[in-house]
Amino acid sequence: MVAHALRSGYRRAAWATAGMVLGDVLYLPTVLAGLAYIAETFSLLLIAIKWAGVAYLCWLACRFWTSREGLNIDE
């Protein structure tokens, strides 16, 4: 905005700032409403994805604990 104000003047920079603020004010509630709709509609799928992630992390932990290779901390 500073560069825009220096190049085009204060009035145009103020309008550009107002446009950015208005865009942000409209964007955030729209995104939140969309994410809330997705969470509400696909709640069972999201729970399944969460538990698949838990199972994957448990599998990784078991693989790490049973690994014969040690950690190289000296490097």
Side-chain angles (χ1 to χ4, degrees):
M1 283 298 119
V2 173
H4 192 69
L6 290 174
R7 185 173 33 123
S8 302
Y10 171 76
R11 185 176 304 266
R12 289 192 61 169
W15 281 109
T17 303
M20 286 179 57
V21 169
L22 180 64
D24 288 344
V25 167
L26 293 175
Y27 175 75
L28 183 63
T30 305
V31 168
L32 290 177
L35 289 174
Y37 174 76
I38 289 171
E40 185 76 26
T41 304
F42 301 109
S43 62
L44 189 61
L45 177 65
L46 294 175
I47 290 171
I49 291 171
K50 176 179 73 171
W51 283 108
V54 168
Y56 176 68
L57 289 175
C58 288
W59 177 78
L60 280 179
C62 289
R63 296 276 299 179
F64 178 71
W65 286 330
T66 59
S67 172
R68 293 191 187 272
E69 295 181 26
L71 292 177
N72 258 347
I73 300 176
D74 295 333
E75 290 181 16

